[in-house]
């Protein structure tokens, strides 16, 4: 079975997920998308309104910014894999609760097992807390490499921080360039 077929099977198995209360209020499960053989895996936080409407990750304003910054870093969205720590939209775009993240953790672990990326880029604090360290400040880990189980972890800011104007786009573009260069050296 190919990685793409494995991901499609996992997606089908998750469609009726009700492991937390978010399953009952969502419009669509936002599973993830991209290259099933991606070397770079982008992990965000949770779906927003546009993502919940479409079932696709990072398609709102932050998603448009992510696509633009990927391009500036010499990456194409279709070559990477993009998903969220939480697969359903929390009410009023609040951060997902720990129990909601825990409910999605098995799905994320299976996505990582199937795809086998070289690098997981954590976009924002929720992703960093979910995958790396639960109590760390993003400013303390942004732009540093960490060892994960079979892949490197690279924390950076969420594209929404660029949209809000609290972080300059160059910071993320430079981080994405570092990740791309790391992967190119591994080939």
């Amino acid at each position: 079975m190919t990685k793409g077929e494995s991901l499609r099977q996992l997606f089908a198995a998750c469609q009726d997920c009700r492991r937390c209360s978010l399953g009952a209020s969502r419009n669509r499960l936002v599973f993830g998308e991209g290259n099933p053989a991606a070397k770079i895996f982008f992990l965000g936080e949770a779906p927003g309104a546009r993502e919940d409407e479409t079932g696709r990750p990072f398609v709102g304003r932050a998603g448009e910014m992510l696509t633009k910054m990927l391009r500036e870093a010499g990456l194409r969205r279709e070559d990477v894999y993009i998903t969220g720590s939480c697969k359903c939209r929390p009410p009023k775009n609040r951060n997902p609760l720990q129990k909601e993240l825990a409910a999605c953790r098995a799905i994320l672990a299976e996505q990582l097992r199937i795809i086998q990326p070289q690098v997981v880029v954590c976009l924002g604090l929720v992703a960093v807390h979910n995958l790396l360290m639960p109590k760390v400040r993003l400013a303390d880990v942004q732009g540093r490499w960490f060892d994960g189980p079979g892949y490197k972890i690279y924390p950076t800011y969420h594209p929404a921080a660029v949209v809000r104007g609290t972080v300059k786009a160059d910071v993320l573009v430079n981080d994405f360039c570092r990740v791309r260069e790391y992967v190119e050296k591994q080939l």
Side-chain angles (χ1 to χ4, degrees):
M1 184 180 313
T2 68
K3 290 181 178 192
E5 291 167 338
S6 295
L7 284 172
R8 282 189 290 279
Q9 283 187 351
L10 179 60
F11 176 64
C14 297
Q15 282 298 301
D16 295 324
C17 179
R18 298 290 187 263
R19 295 182 75 187
C20 74
S21 62
L22 296 180
S25 62
R26 71 169 182 245
N27 288 314
R28 295 181 193 261
L29 179 91
V30 183
F31 181 77
E33 68 181 22
N35 183 348
K39 301 296 182 202
I40 304 171
F41 186 107
F42 285 90
L43 180 63
E45 299 182 350
R50 288 278 298 133
E51 290 79 9
D52 186 49
E53 289 171 13
T54 64
R56 297 182 58 218
F58 282 94
V59 293
R61 288 176 54 216
E64 291 170 6
M65 181 59 67
L66 174 62
T67 301
K68 179 179 184 258
M69 291 184 297
L70 287 172
R71 212 172 24 251
E72 289 177 26
L75 296 167
R76 297 180 327 151
R77 190 175 167 118
E78 55 269 20
D79 294 333
V80 301
Y81 194 84
I82 303 171
T83 192
S85 295
C86 190
K87 310 302 184 192
C88 298
R89 181 182 185 214
K92 300 179 182 174
N93 282 347
R94 69 162 165 74
N95 284 341
L97 305 174
Q98 284 303 313
K99 64 183 176 182
E100 294 161 351
L101 290 168
C104 289
R105 204 161 282 129
I107 300 169
L108 174 59
E110 189 63 10
Q111 287 173 309
L112 289 166
R113 187 194 68 74
I114 292 167
I115 295 168
Q116 299 176 336
Q118 289 180 345
V119 179
V120 176
V121 179
C122 291
L123 298 170
L125 192 58
V126 170
V128 170
H129 286 175
N130 190 35
L131 195 61
L132 189 60
M133 294 177 227
K135 300 285 184 191
V136 74
R137 289 177 350 118
L138 184 54
D140 294 336
V141 295
Q142 180 270 327
R144 293 177 44 205
W145 292 99
F146 296 88
D147 291 325
Y151 50 81
K152 292 288 196 181
I153 300 171
Y154 191 93
T156 192
Y157 297 100
H158 193 283
V162 176
V163 173
R164 289 190 303 269
T166 56
V167 173
K168 293 191 184 295
D170 290 353
V171 173
L172 274 79
V173 171
N174 289 336
D175 282 346
F176 296 168
C177 284
R178 284 188 70 200
V179 169
R180 179 185 47 78
E181 290 164 2
Y182 172 84
V183 168
E184 288 172 351
K185 287 180 185 173
Q186 305 305 308
L187 299 177

